[in-house]
Amino acid sequence: MEAYARVIPDQNLDRALDYEIPEPLRKSVHIGTRVRIPIRLRLVLGTVVALLEETSVKGLKPIAEVIDETPTISPNLLKLARWMADYYCCPVEAAIRCILPQVIRNAEMGHQRRKWMRISPEFNASQLAEIEKKAPRQAEVLRVLAENPDGLYLSDLLKKTGATGPTVKALEKRGLLMEGDAIKMRDPFVGQNFIQSTPPVLNDEQKVALERVREAMRNPTEAKPLLLHGITGSGKTEIYLHAIKDALHAGKTALVLVPEISLTPQTVDRFKSRFADVQTEIAVLHSHLSDGERHDEWHRIRSGEAKIVIGARSAVFAPMENLGLIVVDEEHESSYKQEEMPRYHARDVAVVRARNEKCAILLGSATPCLESYRNTTIGKYELLHLTERIDSRKLPVIRILDMRQMNRTKGDVILSFPLCTAIEARLTRREQTILFLNRRGYSSSMVCNKCGYVAECPNCSVALTYHRKDVRLVCHICGHIVCAPNACPSCHDASIRYQGVGTQRVEDSVRRVFPHARVERMDADTMNRKHAYTEVLGRFKKGEIDILIGTQMIAKGLDFPNVTLVGIINADISLHLPDFRAGERTFQLLTQVAGRAGRGDVVGEVFVQTFTPVSPSIQFARHHDYEGFFEQEMEFRKQFQYPPVTHMTLITIRSTSRERAEFSADTLARRLQEAIPKETAILGGPAPAPLEKAKTFYRYHLTLRGTGAARLGRTVRDVL
């Protein structure tokens, strides 16, 4: 038996340390086990990554404690962590931090234990009538427990019977009840009912796509990743559900990734309704769970009790065994990209995990990212098509409204006359409307017309956003908040104005124009309660909301048959960002938002308000022409050597001193220039980041573009 263990501490050491395994702990230490180890004068947590029979290091310290005798991280997840560290140029412990939720990593929370009551073997049913005469409440307790021979939690028993603690104690003293304790799982869906749904009949295209997914599940080692390109409303989710059912029948498990936490409740509702007979086998993982719920869901998954896992980005690391299928819904979404170190992309990590676990992977989208679609053209992925909406429903009609013309005649217009007329028609017909604007708050900036003062964040190089309800200015980057002034702080002029439009201002306009409409807003400001998403979407589904206003959290995945109108207030917000993907993301966003309309029997209509109606992104979205957009955008990428033609590495240098950040960026650029031959890579920068200052840090960017991702990664790692 190995006497030494190699451990990666939860510290920024970027290396593994060897420790002696004390004799009493040797049977408990395995690869993937979490342990407590001494470093200098304190104990820290770490993960065992290797077991050694001998080591060249002398005088090793012993492992102090084993946290969990069952390995917390499986060998496949450890392999995934090493791949992430290599590909994303990050320390292995940073990858392990991603794999283990904080509540599991810190080992500070356990299972919730509750009193458990059951009937004693000494109880005889003939006693019930006699007890009923003297103590009817005690009789009710015995009757309920007789109907539940396995017993009930004390809290549930008291709730069901209306009894109190002394009543139960009296029965215990008489020897009629027995008390124990049991683990009570914290259920994120407590109080929610899911009704069994019947699967609809698949159309021919769906059947062909599903059969191909089944083949990949039968022979995962030979199958390529599958990209399901289906227009909005074409029934991609039904293919997911059928394929997962097959995985369960084969004794396998399934993982489903969704891009937004807001989409999780509706996705869970569909899955719980379809798999109503095995609801307890469905688990969720996302950041809106409490620590206790996350702890219990994680342990349900690791124990194998949960066979289907649904979650946002971090769910890609769910501790599942025997995976049969991984589904990445809306695979194009930028929210799959982690913004902190390690800056992993959950879609790419999912593809690597599927390869390691030898399971099938299905990527789905109406607007696939260019990288994935190009992979189908060069043979790395296999393409599946869904070109028709289910039940032969028609795609919505998209109308482009040129706001340049309207603003010339009527000033600063928020809701154009054609859009207002269309909303009024829907209200008359009792149909529903979605209004989309990807900017929260009331106004995007506060500007003095007299002296030109702009209210800016002291910590970030952005203007503060005005929130009218709280009369405050808020930075959406760092969260800095100040009271909104009544006059200009610089020249004291009282005519200071708020410019730009946010979702709060749209809501005010809608309520003013349509005073009798039932209006609700969904953005980060209103969805700050735990079950707010579920409640609002539930009311919208029931028809209790006429007009839903929101940001990108309502742009995709939602399926409400009574929505016949979608209004896009400003299609240009994402179009003019300093990002080579700006056109692609605008096209995707417009197509996805438009796809929320006309998912019932009535043909949908979409109004797009824009100041750049001739933009290719807007025009291709108008005609639902993904292939045309792909061809034109790829020409642009080839011309300027941008991904997916090349691989790109982005390096960010941060410092509280602008001069130090600039000096470090210049030095790093010079070192990279010396290390990389000009013919293999293109170095861009150094230059200030588009958002130069964020959370008190000045930021500089360096980019490297080349054909070999591994070569770029090695070079960057060596130079750093």
Side-chain angles (χ1 to χ4, degrees):
M1 187 174 290
E2 291 85 352
Y4 305 99
R6 186 154 291 160
V7 182
I8 293 181
D10 292 358
Q11 305 272 312
N12 290 322
L13 299 177
D14 199 16
R15 63 194 179 103
L17 303 174
D18 289 353
Y19 286 87
E20 181 187 353
I21 306 175
E23 187 66 40
L25 299 181
R26 289 189 181 176
K27 291 184 179 179
S28 305
V29 176
H30 311 280
I31 293 174
T33 299
R34 295 283 289 168
V35 294
R36 213 179 293 275
I37 51 173
I39 292 184
R40 295 188 178 92
L41 299 177
R42 60 198 183 100
L43 295 177
V44 302
L45 290 167
T47 305
V48 176
V49 294
L51 297 176
L52 312 169
E53 291 183 358
E54 55 185 34
T55 176
S56 59
V57 184
K58 304 298 181 186
L60 291 180
K61 294 179 180 179
I63 290 173
E65 182 187 356
V66 173
I67 303 301
D68 192 344
E69 293 191 9
T70 306
T72 308
I73 304 180
S74 69
N76 278 330
L77 284 177
L78 270 178
K79 185 178 179 182
L80 189 65
R82 290 193 178 97
W83 175 84
M84 288 174 62
D86 183 59
Y87 188 79
Y88 295 110
C89 299
C90 70
V92 177
E93 67 264 16
I96 289 175
R97 280 200 298 271
C98 288
I99 288 173
L100 290 179
Q102 186 173 353
V103 67
I104 304 297
R105 199 169 62 244
N106 292 348
E108 293 172 353
M109 180 176 285
H111 288 289
Q112 195 177 56
R113 305 195 78 86
R114 289 289 183 268
K115 282 188 178 179
W116 184 262
M117 308 303 300
R118 60 170 58 87
I119 283 185
S120 168
E122 297 176 15
F123 171 70
N124 193 318
S126 60
Q127 299 173 269
L128 199 58
E130 185 182 338
I131 296 171
E132 182 93 57
K133 295 175 186 176
K134 298 179 181 179
R137 191 68 75 188
Q138 290 184 14
E140 179 63 17
V141 169
L142 291 169
R143 190 177 293 110
V144 168
L145 283 175
E147 294 169 0
N148 296 273
D150 292 333
L152 290 170
Y153 291 112
L154 176 60
S155 56
D156 293 342
L157 178 63
L158 298 180
K159 195 180 295 182
K160 280 176 177 284
T161 60
T164 59
T167 303
V168 175
K169 280 288 181 190
L171 288 168
E172 277 191 85
K173 285 181 181 178
R174 295 176 61 180
L176 300 178
L177 291 187
M178 294 190 306
E179 178 188 306
D181 73 331
I183 292 174
K184 183 174 176 63
M185 303 301 285
R186 287 157 280 213
D187 185 3
F189 310 106
V190 64
Q192 296 183 41
N193 295 317
F194 300 95
I195 302 168
Q196 179 86 46
S197 66
T198 305
V201 177
L202 301 183
N203 62 31
D204 291 341
E205 282 189 332
Q206 287 175 308
K207 289 176 182 175
V208 170
L210 177 60
E211 186 51 42
R212 189 62 203 93
V213 177
R214 285 169 171 163
E215 288 176 21
M217 291 166 63
R218 286 192 290 267
N219 300 294
T221 54
E222 299 174 11
K224 300 174 183 176
L226 302 173
L227 176 62
L228 179 61
H229 178 208
I231 61 172
T232 55
S234 58
K236 295 184 289 294
T237 305
E238 275 305 319
I239 293 176
Y240 305 158
L241 289 165
H242 279 77
I244 288 169
K245 185 178 180 181
D246 291 344
L248 296 185
H249 283 167
K252 305 251 182 199
T253 60
L255 172 62
V256 182
L257 300 182
V258 294
E260 296 276 355
I261 293 172
S262 59
L263 293 183
T264 310
Q266 191 176 26
T267 306
V268 170
D269 182 66
R270 289 179 184 174
F271 277 74
K272 288 256 185 182
S273 299
R274 182 61 58 84
F275 300 105
D277 53 333
V278 288
Q279 285 184 21
T280 56
E281 295 183 2
I282 299 176
V284 295
L285 284 177
H286 57 73
S287 58
H288 275 210
L289 299 178
S290 68
D291 283 348
E293 289 169 346
R294 181 176 277 252
H295 172 276
D296 289 358
E297 291 290 271
W298 191 90
H299 278 284
R300 284 181 60 226
I301 296 165
R302 188 177 71 150
S303 68
E305 182 184 337
K307 301 292 194 300
I308 302 171
V309 175
I310 303 166
R313 178 176 61 225
S314 60
V316 72
F317 305 114
M320 306 179 76
E321 297 290 342
N322 201 23
L323 267 168
L325 178 66
I326 298 176
V327 174
V328 184
D329 193 24
E330 310 292 0
E331 63 86 34
H332 66 278
E333 274 297 321
S334 59
S335 53
Y336 279 126
K337 180 81 181 226
Q338 170 91 347
E339 291 303 320
E340 298 86 32
M341 187 182 74
R343 294 168 59 94
Y344 70 88
H345 199 299
R347 178 196 63 230
D348 298 338
V349 173
V351 171
V352 175
R353 183 172 186 186
R355 184 180 65 209
N356 291 348
E357 305 265 3
K358 294 181 174 56
C359 76
I361 181 165
L362 176 61
L363 315 176
S365 176
T367 54
C369 72
L370 264 65
E371 285 81 359
S372 295
Y373 201 83
R374 181 175 181 268
N375 280 339
T376 67
T377 65
I378 62 176
K380 287 180 70 175
Y381 292 0
E382 183 177 342
L383 182 63
L384 309 176
H385 271 299
L386 296 178
T387 59
E388 296 179 359
R389 282 190 156 188
I390 54 174
D391 297 332
S392 301
R393 292 170 186 155
K394 293 184 179 179
L395 284 165
V397 177
I398 300 181
R399 308 188 189 283
I400 307 298
L401 304 176
D402 189 347
M403 299 304 287
R404 297 173 300 179
Q405 303 297 328
M406 296 181 188
N407 282 7
R408 282 191 194 124
T409 56
K410 298 182 180 179
D412 188 13
V413 175
I414 295 176
L415 300 174
S416 61
F417 179 74
L419 180 56
C420 286
T421 305
I423 294 173
E424 185 65 54
R426 267 62 185 189
L427 292 173
T428 303
R429 299 199 297 259
R430 297 186 178 278
E431 296 169 0
Q432 292 171 298
T433 299
I434 287 178
L435 297 179
F436 169 80
L437 177 65
N438 206 19
R439 178 177 285 155
R440 61 191 175 101
Y442 186 83
S443 296
S444 55
S445 60
M446 182 180 186
V447 182
C448 177
N449 289 341
K450 186 175 180 181
C451 70
Y453 167 85
V454 178
E456 293 185 339
C457 176
N459 306 319
C460 312
S461 51
V462 293
L464 294 171
T465 300
Y466 176 53
H467 287 243
R468 188 176 185 180
K469 182 181 178 182
D470 306 309
V471 195
R472 62 183 187 174
L473 296 168
V474 181
C475 175
H476 290 166
I477 303 298
C478 70
H480 176 77
I481 300 173
V482 293
C483 292
N486 296 320
C488 174
S490 179
C491 70
H492 309 292
D493 187 77
S495 63
I496 191 164
R497 293 188 57 201
Y498 303 104
Q499 296 186 352
V501 178
T503 48
Q504 285 184 14
R505 192 170 173 187
V506 173
E507 182 184 12
D508 279 3
S509 296
V510 169
R511 291 187 185 278
R512 191 169 58 251
V513 177
F514 307 104
H516 302 298
R518 296 167 296 176
V519 181
E520 194 67 60
R521 173 164 55 92
M522 280 186 73
D523 56 28
D525 299 317
T526 59
M527 299 291 105
N528 47 19
R529 289 183 300 105
K530 184 175 179 182
H531 296 297
Y533 297 102
T534 310
E535 291 168 7
V536 173
L537 292 178
R539 287 169 51 217
F540 194 56
K541 185 177 183 179
K542 293 175 185 174
E544 296 173 4
I545 298 170
D546 298 317
I547 303 172
L548 182 64
I549 302 162
T551 52
Q552 63 180 5
M553 62 177 64
I554 65 168
K556 51 212 166 272
L558 304 183
D559 188 359
F560 298 109
N562 200 38
V563 174
T564 59
L565 175 65
V566 168
I568 298 169
I569 305 301
N570 186 349
D572 307 320
I573 288 178
S574 60
L575 188 59
H576 305 302
L577 294 174
D579 184 343
F580 72 91
R581 290 192 175 97
E584 178 185 1
R585 287 177 177 161
T586 299
F587 170 82
Q588 290 167 340
L589 200 54
L590 294 181
T591 304
Q592 293 288 339
V593 178
R596 301 315 106 207
R599 298 173 83 95
D601 296 328
V602 180
V603 177
E605 199 170 14
V606 181
F607 285 81
V608 180
Q609 297 185 167
T610 175
F611 292 91
T612 50
V614 296
S615 163
S617 298
I618 293 173
Q619 288 299 327
F620 280 118
R622 177 188 185 183
H623 294 100
H624 310 284
D625 184 4
Y626 176 84
E627 282 76 13
F629 174 79
F630 173 79
E631 289 176 10
Q632 177 166 311
E633 187 69 10
M634 280 301 297
E635 285 301 316
F636 156 70
R637 303 287 178 89
K638 288 174 185 174
Q639 184 176 350
F640 294 101
Q641 291 294 292
Y642 279 119
V645 178
T646 58
H647 291 279
M648 176 180 271
T649 301
L650 173 68
I651 305 171
T652 302
I653 297 93
R654 303 190 309 157
S655 175
T656 51
S657 162
R658 176 189 275 118
E659 291 75 19
R660 189 172 296 172
E662 184 178 10
F663 173 78
S664 299
D666 287 338
T667 305
L668 180 56
R670 189 172 63 252
R671 301 276 178 86
L672 286 168
Q673 197 76 62
E674 293 167 357
I676 299 175
K678 289 182 180 179
E679 62 274 8
T680 62
I682 303 168
L683 178 65
L691 181 62
E692 183 179 2
K693 189 181 181 185
K695 301 178 182 178
T696 73
F697 284 91
Y698 293 94
R699 311 185 318 154
Y700 274 72
H701 277 174
L702 278 165
T703 60
L704 280 169
R705 283 172 285 156
T707 53
R711 189 189 308 121
L712 283 178
R714 280 195 302 271
T715 303
V716 170
R717 204 162 33 247
D718 293 344
V719 173
L720 288 177

